[in-house]
Amino acid sequence: MKKPKKRNKIPFIILFIIHTSMLGYSFYKSKNKKQLFTLLMADIGFAYLLEYVVLNVFHAYTYKPKIMKKNFFDNVFGAILSQGIFVPFTAVFSTVLKIGWVGKLFLGGVYFSLVELIFIRLKVYKHNWWRTIYTLILIPLYFKISDWWKMFLEKRNPIVRVISLFLMILVTEANLLFLFAATRKIRFGIGRYHAWREHFIMVPLYAITLSSFSTLSFLKQNNWSSKLRVLIMTIGLDQLFKRGKVVKDKFHVVDYFTVRVLVIFLYGWFRDIVYGVRNRGEHNSEGKVLEKNHKST
């Protein structure tokens, strides 16, 4: 008899509850929640970049949460749960609680290695060429990078701030493009038939390109000019890919513009979180303009 599909979901649901609770506690303990949000998005971004190479390109392992009908989407969704929630939420928890190397080894390496082995036993996850020893070594190191990143954010390091903004935008683009693909709104590829394997190799490169330009556009300030540049660039890039038959989409024009305008405003908000709101005029009750220079978060 085949194992009921809903049983595959249970381990992922349990981990989701555990790690979401850890993140909630981290925000409760943090005094600077905007900075912590920046750190969280940066941690997710780093995990996504690694996952692109390890999973999308080289197929190191396979997830089987049985949440989505198509196996390829189910695999990617499992990776999003792991690299977008379980691991980065724990990294933030480790950083906020200032857990040392020994704690990171147990909370990161040993804990996630045991989870990995249990998932393999439950047949909701399998290794292709990946080995548990890689998890044991890499996750504590990833947790330490999270510590360093928070330290540099506190020091307002210019390079770390730029990369953080880029990663915040990249995470949003990656999740949005996955949603579009899952709802059959968009598919990337070369040639007449666009395979999903090909799509998930190409789409991160598209997201990286958009995120890089958006970051540069919002670097100096969040204003209408910056938003317009990003919108024009996005439309231009999409049209270029359509003419080159690299992308197929089923968007209505109104839906497309609505989504793009909303995310552009979101990216402006990200910029204000990372750099702070500068020189914004606000009128008081007497009609005078009050210039406020808010310090960066």
Side-chain angles (χ1 to χ4, degrees), residues 166 169 207-219 226-234 237:
F166 164 76
I169 296 172
I208 289 170
T209 302
L210 274 184
S211 302
S212 299
F213 185 86
S214 300
T215 301
L216 292 174
S217 296
F218 281 113
L219 205 54
S226 302
K227 293 180 177 70
L228 186 60
R229 281 198 302 270
V230 175
L231 182 61
I232 292 172
M233 187 271 179
T234 304
L237 187 64

Side-chain angles (χ1 to χ4, degrees), residues 142 161 241 282 285:
Y142 169 75
R161 287 168 120 186
F241 281 176
E282 294 181 10
S285 58

Side-chain angles (χ1 to χ4, degrees), residues 41 44-46 48-49 163-177 203-212 215 267 270:
M41 293 291 278
I44 296 172
F46 284 128
Y48 274 12
L49 289 172
I163 296 174
S164 295
L165 179 58
F166 164 76
L167 291 172
M168 293 170 83
I169 296 172
L170 177 64
V171 168
T172 308
E173 282 291 339
N175 290 338
L176 191 64
L177 289 166
V203 77
L205 302 177
Y206 172 83
I208 289 170
T209 302
L210 274 184
S211 302
S212 299
T215 301
Y267 298 160
F270 287 166

Side-chain angles (χ1 to χ4, degrees), residues 125-165:
Y125 168 84
K126 75 171 185 177
H127 287 158
N128 295 328
W129 57 264
W130 189 262
R131 296 294 178 266
T132 303
I133 188 65
Y134 305 154
T135 302
L136 182 65
I137 295 170
L138 291 176
I139 292 188
L141 179 59
Y142 169 75
F143 283 11
K144 192 60 184 177
I145 291 172
S146 177
D147 291 350
W148 292 332
W149 209 258
K150 182 177 183 293
M151 179 185 69
F152 284 122
L153 282 172
E154 289 171 347
K155 293 181 177 180
R156 302 178 188 177
N157 182 279
I159 296 175
V160 167
R161 287 168 120 186
V162 171
I163 296 174
S164 295
L165 179 58

Side-chain angles (χ1 to χ4, degrees), residues 1-19:
M1 292 179 66
K2 288 186 177 181
K3 179 177 60 174
K5 290 183 178 180
K6 64 180 180 180
R7 288 188 183 179
N8 286 48
K9 302 175 185 178
I10 294 173
F12 290 92
I13 292 171
I14 292 171
L15 284 190
F16 178 82
I17 293 170
I18 292 171
H19 292 279

Side-chain angles (χ1 to χ4, degrees), residues 259-272:
V259 171
R260 273 296 153 201
V261 169
L262 288 175
V263 295
I264 287 170
F265 274 91
L266 181 63
Y267 298 160
W269 181 65
F270 287 166
R271 191 264 172 210
D272 289 344

